[in-house]
Amino acid sequence: TYLLSDQSSVDIRLEAKSNRATLIGPTLHPYFNLAPGHPPIDHHQLRLHAAHYTVVNDHNIPTGELRKVVGSELDFNQAKALKGIRLDHNVVVHGNLLQAAAELISPDQRLHLKVSSDYPGLQVYTGEHLSPPFLPRQGICLEPQFFPDSPNQPCFPFHFTRPEQAFVAHIRYQLEKK
């Protein structure tokens, strides 16, 4: 269910029911570009409210290890420009709909997109492999989710939907003009 609000936000409610135990983790895969004419996202700034990220192997498959973002290439605790930065990573977020997990800032700093969700992870992808009609890096994907490969990693959270317990998740994208 999509709900557009007067506060320039879209609130999404994902709900699923099943008649037996079913592993589930639906999400959205939207790309954003806050600049007129949609040039590459290089001059956008990104801030992530995350303390850890999921480590991946050479094939981009999670190992089950979590590492601190401080001092790593994923340290976006302060907003920084995306020029020269390639991301396709899952960060661990607080999973609180009332707190932003990420903030994307337009090149002129007049638009701020805040992403919040009750999911524990946020996949951030800078669009290197976008194909026509789009150009590489023409958008950034901010995708709240469970951690990739979570059913196969004992310490990663995931969800089974059961007949007596429906799955429900919330995602909010809020655009603010400064």
Side-chain angles (χ1 to χ4, degrees):
T1 305
Y2 290 80
L3 176 64
L4 300 174
S5 78
D6 293 340
Q7 290 79 33
S8 297
S9 72
V10 59
D11 290 309
I12 301 109
R13 177 184 164 99
L14 303 166
E15 185 175 353
K17 298 176 183 176
S18 65
N19 59 3
R20 61 180 161 188
T22 304
L23 184 64
I24 190 161
T27 190
L28 307 173
H29 196 70
Y31 286 85
F32 299 96
N33 188 320
L34 303 178
H38 307 295
I41 56 166
D42 294 344
H43 299 291
H44 283 69
Q45 291 184 37
L46 178 65
R47 182 173 183 204
L48 299 174
H49 301 277
H52 295 87
Y53 68 96
T54 55
V55 177
V56 296
N57 65 21
D58 293 339
H59 301 288
N60 213 27
I61 304 296
T63 65
E65 179 186 357
L66 300 179
R67 285 193 192 148
K68 292 184 178 184
V69 298
V70 173
S72 78
E73 65 181 4
L74 296 173
D75 189 347
F76 283 83
N77 285 306
Q78 300 297 318
K80 59 183 171 180
L82 292 170
K83 186 170 185 161
I85 297 174
R86 296 174 64 129
L87 298 171
D88 190 4
H89 296 82
N90 179 72
V91 294
V92 180
V93 296
H94 41 69
N96 181 338
L97 198 60
L98 301 176
Q99 295 179 337
E103 185 175 358
L104 183 65
I105 303 165
S106 66
D108 64 7
Q109 298 190 2
R110 293 179 59 199
L111 292 175
H112 291 230
L113 177 71
K114 292 183 178 180
V115 181
S116 57
S117 172
D118 51 13
Y119 275 114
L122 179 74
Q123 187 76 19
V124 181
Y125 173 56
T126 49
E128 274 72 29
H129 301 289
L130 287 174
S131 56
F134 304 102
L135 299 172
R137 295 185 64 84
Q138 194 172 11
I140 182 171
C141 184
L142 300 168
E143 180 181 2
Q145 62 179 20
F146 290 116
F147 306 166
D149 199 34
S150 59
N152 298 311
Q153 302 297 337
C155 296
F156 285 7
F158 67 96
H159 184 82
F160 274 103
T161 296
R162 293 178 168 75
E164 67 280 359
Q165 182 182 15
F167 172 83
V168 178
H170 299 90
I171 299 171
R172 175 178 296 135
Y173 295 101
Q174 183 166 0
L175 191 61
E176 297 178 355
K177 199 169 187 180
K178 301 286 180 172

